Amino acid sequence: MNMDARGKLFHAWRVALVAGRTAEEILPDKVSDVFYAGLLHDIGAMGLDDHIVHQMVSGAPADDPVILQHAEKGAAIVRELPALAEASRYILEHHEHWDGTGIPSHKRESQLTLGGQIVAVADQLDILLRMYGQDGGKKALDVIKNRAGTVFMPEVVEAFLGAVAET
């Protein structure tokens, strides 16, 4: 396995672990669905370079249709497995924002699922930790906190903070 594929695999695993732990706090009946959505959230981007996939989080412009469609493509792939139908909904929404500025459908507030928002927070946390380096945990958590009410559902950020405080 090459380094890029290994990096994506470990990213997916970390997102799944954080998402599953957060779901235990706020969505206990869907922990498995959230965990699998976290594990498979970027399956629609497997052919892309890692640094390109995460341009949206870093703030760099992401106008490549392949990048913009990876959540839809991933949800379609996972939807083919009937046991993961709910997880596919969460994958589809993992780049939607609480304020309606996300992609692919610009859903907002009550239109969003808790599971999709949980995966979104876990995904961004892992990317932020990679961006800020080994000692960037506090800074990454501050960014997540500051995005509550804009990018993220406030209740999900609160549950996430409770989950990471317990670990």
Side-chain angles (χ1 to χ4, degrees):
M1 182 182 306
N2 69 33
M3 185 57 91
D4 188 47
R6 190 171 31 245
K8 288 179 187 178
L9 175 64
F10 291 135
H11 166 69
W13 182 246
R14 290 186 301 266
V15 170
L17 291 173
V18 170
R21 182 64 194 96
T22 303
E24 290 174 2
E25 297 284 323
I26 193 170
L27 197 59
D29 60 326
K30 300 289 185 181
V31 171
S32 291
D33 292 318
V34 172
F35 177 85
Y36 284 114
L39 192 62
L40 299 169
H41 74 282
D42 279 343
I43 196 168
M46 285 308 291
L48 300 175
D49 290 338
D50 190 53
H51 69 282
I52 294 172
V53 174
H54 300 298
Q55 283 179 335
M56 290 176 272
V57 175
S58 69
D63 53 9
D64 183 334
V66 176
I67 296 168
L68 296 174
Q69 295 168 358
H70 84 274
E72 293 168 292
K73 183 178 177 183
I77 291 167
V78 172
R79 194 176 307 116
E80 294 297 316
L81 302 168
L84 296 178
E86 190 73 17
S88 75
R89 289 182 55 214
Y90 304 156
I91 291 167
L92 180 62
E93 292 184 2
H94 83 275
H95 284 295
E96 295 284 2
H97 295 174
W98 179 244
D99 63 6
T101 61
I103 59 170
S105 301
H106 305 290
K107 291 180 179 181
R108 63 181 302 129
E109 297 183 12
S110 64
Q111 297 172 320
L112 297 170
T113 62
L114 284 173
Q117 282 282 284
I118 292 169
V119 173
V121 169
D123 183 36
Q124 286 202 14
L125 172 71
D126 190 63
I127 293 162
L128 290 166
L129 289 171
R130 289 172 64 195
M131 286 172 45
Y132 296 139
Q134 192 171 12
D135 297 323
K138 183 184 177 330
K139 189 171 182 179
L141 290 175
D142 286 344
V143 169
I144 298 291
K145 289 176 194 175
N146 290 333
R147 291 180 179 173
T150 55
V151 176
F152 304 123
M153 185 182 297
E155 307 92 281
V156 170
V157 172
E158 186 177 326
F160 158 77
L161 293 171
V164 298
E166 293 175 13
T167 56

